[in-house]
Amino acid sequence: MLQPQRTELASRPNPMQLLAYIVFGITTLLFLGLALFTVAEPGRGSESSIGYGWGAIILSLGFALSSLILLLIVRSRGGFDWVGHKAATRTALLVLFWLAMSITTFFGAILKLESFKENTSPPFLQALAVSQPQLWVPMLWLMVSLLSLNPGWVSTLSLGWFKLPFWLGFSISTLFTAGLVVVYIHDSIQRTTGQVATRNDDEKRWHQQRLDQVAAHKADDSIFGLLGFTNQYQADDVRQAALAKIKSHPDWEAQLLDLLANPSSYQYVYSFLGSNPVAHPDAFIEPLNRSIGFLAEDIVADIKGRESSLQHWTFDSYTIEPLLRALDTQFGRQIELFYPNVLHVQQALKTPLPEVAQGVRFDVSPEVDDWVKAHKNKR
C-alpha cells in the first residue's frame, strides 16, 4: 500500500533542482537576447549609439546577475565539485571565472560601437570589438553550468566534457580581463601624463602672458592694472617685476590711496597690502578703515541682490583674507581702530539669507570669525 506513495514522492522534482533549471532557462534567454542584439552592427548616429549602449548594458548586466544566481544555486546542490579538491579553491576559481566572464561579456558588447573599432583606439580594444567575445565566452559558461545541473552526469560523462569548456572559458576570459586592465592602466597613465603636460604648458603660457602684461605697462599708466600681479600667489619674477613697475612711479602710494578711497577699486588695493609693505602706513589708516565700511555695505547689497546665485564661494573674490593679513602685518598697532568695521563685515556675512540660499555658509566667514575672536581683547 505504501510503495506507490514512495514511488510518487521519488518522481517529484527536487525544488532546488527545478529552480536551477528555471534560472538556467532565464540565463539562456538573456544570453540569446544579448547575442541577437549584438550580432548585428550598431547603427551609426548618436541616437542609435545611445540606444545600443543602453541595450547592451541592460542585457549584459542581466546575464551577469542571472548567471551568478545560477552559480550559487548549482554550488549549493554540490555542483562544480570537479573544479578543485578543496572547497576554497573551487569557490575562488568559480568566482574568478564568473567575474572574468561577466567583464568580458559586458565590454565585448559595449566595444562593438564604431568608436572603439577606429584606429584611434588601442589595438587590443579594436581586436576585442570585432572578435565577438560576448557570444562565445558566455556560451562556454552556459555549457559548464548545464553539465553541472545534474550531479549524476559527473559519474556518467568523462570529466573532459566539464573541464575543457571550463578551463578554456576561464583562460580566455581572464586573458581578456587582464588585457582590459592593462589597457585601462596604460590609457590612464597616458591621459594623466597628457594632462600634466597640458597643465604645465598652460602655466608657462599664462606666466609669460603675465610677464608680458607687466612689461607692457607704461610710465604714464595707472598702477591699477599692476595690483593683481603683486600678491603672494604670483610667481616671484612676476611679482617683483610688477612691484618694480609700481614703485617706479614717484606717487605710487598716493595712487594707492586714491584707489583705496574709490568704492569700485578698493578691493584691488587689499591684494597689494596683504603681501607688500607700504612706506607710510599711517597715511593708509583712515582710507583703509573707510574702505572696510564699503566692504561691509557691498556684502549686504550682494546678499540681498543675488538671492538666486549665492554660493559658499560668493565672497572668495572680495580679497578679505589679504585685508585681514594686512591689518595684522602692517597695522597691528592700530587694530583697535579697525576692529569695529571688521565687526561690521562679520555681521554683514551673517545677513539673513533668502529661502533659496538657506544653508549656504560662506567660506570667508570662519576667517573673519577667527580674526574677530583673536583681536577681541585688543579693542
Side-chain angles (χ1 to χ4, degrees):
M1 295 293 293
L2 296 177
Q3 186 64 31
Q5 185 178 2
R6 287 198 298 268
T7 304
E8 182 182 353
L9 290 172
S11 64
R12 291 180 182 177
N14 185 304
M16 288 299 293
Q17 184 176 5
L18 179 60
L19 178 61
Y21 279 111
I22 292 174
V23 175
F24 177 81
I26 294 173
T27 306
T28 302
L29 289 175
L30 288 169
F31 165 71
L32 292 175
L34 180 66
L36 293 173
F37 187 79
T38 61
V39 69
E41 291 295 321
R44 294 182 177 271
S46 58
E47 292 185 2
S48 298
S49 296
I50 292 173
Y52 175 87
W54 277 111
I57 290 172
I58 293 171
L59 287 170
S60 57
L61 291 181
F63 173 79
L65 179 60
S66 181
S67 61
L68 176 60
I69 296 173
L70 178 63
L71 167 63
L72 296 176
I73 294 174
V74 175
R75 189 73 195 93
S76 68
R77 298 179 57 249
F80 299 116
D81 282 350
W82 48 269
V83 173
H85 296 293
K86 297 181 179 180
T89 303
R90 287 195 296 270
T91 302
L93 288 173
L94 288 168
V95 170
L96 286 175
F97 185 12
W98 170 82
L99 183 61
M101 179 274 301
S102 299
I103 292 174
T104 303
T105 302
F106 177 83
F107 283 100
I110 295 298
L111 293 175
K112 281 184 63 66
L113 291 170
E114 288 295 328
S115 58
F116 291 102
K117 297 182 181 180
E118 298 172 357
N119 292 332
T120 54
S121 298
F124 178 81
L125 293 186
Q126 296 178 42
L128 193 60
V130 299
S131 61
Q132 307 278 20
Q134 80 282 359
L135 300 182
W136 45 272
V137 170
M139 187 182 299
L140 293 172
W141 172 269
L142 287 174
M143 289 176 58
V144 172
S145 299
L146 177 62
L147 292 172
S148 301
L149 284 176
N150 190 336
W153 289 345
V154 178
S155 59
T156 58
L157 295 175
S158 170
L159 284 180
W161 286 97
F162 298 85
K163 292 188 174 183
L164 180 62
F166 177 86
W167 289 110
L168 183 62
F170 182 89
S171 302
I172 295 175
S173 59
T174 301
L175 177 64
F176 275 133
T177 301
L180 287 169
V181 172
V182 171
V183 168
Y184 174 79
I185 294 174
H186 177 266
D187 286 357
S188 296
I189 294 174
Q190 282 195 325
R191 184 166 54 251
T192 301
T193 303
Q195 290 172 347
V196 170
T198 300
R199 185 164 59 250
N200 289 339
D201 290 342
D202 290 341
E203 289 176 354
K204 290 179 181 178
R205 184 175 69 255
W206 296 333
H207 179 260
Q208 188 58 50
Q209 287 176 352
R210 296 186 185 102
L211 287 174
D212 292 341
Q213 287 179 268
V214 172
H217 179 84
K218 299 178 181 177
D220 55 349
D221 291 339
S222 168
I223 66 172
F224 175 77
L226 296 172
L227 296 180
F229 300 109
T230 62
N231 62 63
Q232 63 178 357
Y233 302 110
Q234 296 292 336
D236 189 61
D237 57 344
V238 174
R239 181 166 170 264
Q240 294 302 325
L243 285 173
K245 286 278 187 177
I246 289 174
K247 293 182 179 181
S248 68
H249 293 260
D251 63 338
W252 66 275
E253 284 195 336
Q255 289 192 47
L256 283 177
L257 290 170
D258 290 341
L259 292 169
L260 196 59
N262 189 331
S264 64
S265 59
Y266 68 91
Q267 293 179 6
Y268 294 91
V269 182
Y270 293 169
S271 180
F272 178 91
L273 294 177
S275 303
N276 306 283
V278 291
H280 304 92
D282 290 344
F284 284 79
I285 293 175
E286 183 179 348
L288 179 59
N289 205 14
R290 192 184 312 117
S291 74
I292 299 175
F294 298 157
L295 176 63
E297 293 172 0
D298 286 347
I299 290 173
V300 173
D302 260 8
I303 290 177
K304 293 182 177 179
R306 299 171 59 180
E307 295 183 353
S308 61
S309 60
L310 290 172
Q311 302 292 334
H312 63 92
W313 39 259
T314 295
F315 298 111
D316 287 0
S317 62
Y318 277 48
T319 58
I320 294 176
E321 186 267 339
L323 165 65
L324 299 178
R325 186 168 61 251
L327 295 180
D328 287 337
T329 57
Q330 298 200 60
F331 308 97
R333 295 180 180 179
Q334 293 86 14
I335 286 296
E336 70 277 0
L337 299 177
F338 298 102
Y339 186 89
N341 274 337
V342 177
L343 194 61
H344 290 157
V345 172
Q346 182 190 45
Q347 293 167 350
L349 289 169
K350 295 180 180 179
T351 300
L353 301 179
E355 185 176 349
V356 294
Q358 289 298 318
V360 173
R361 169 71 168 167
F362 302 122
D363 292 341
V364 297
S365 293
E367 294 181 35
V368 177
D369 293 342
D370 290 344
W371 191 94
V372 169
K373 183 178 179 181
H375 298 86
K376 187 174 182 180
N377 297 327
K378 300 177 183 180
R379 291 181 293 174

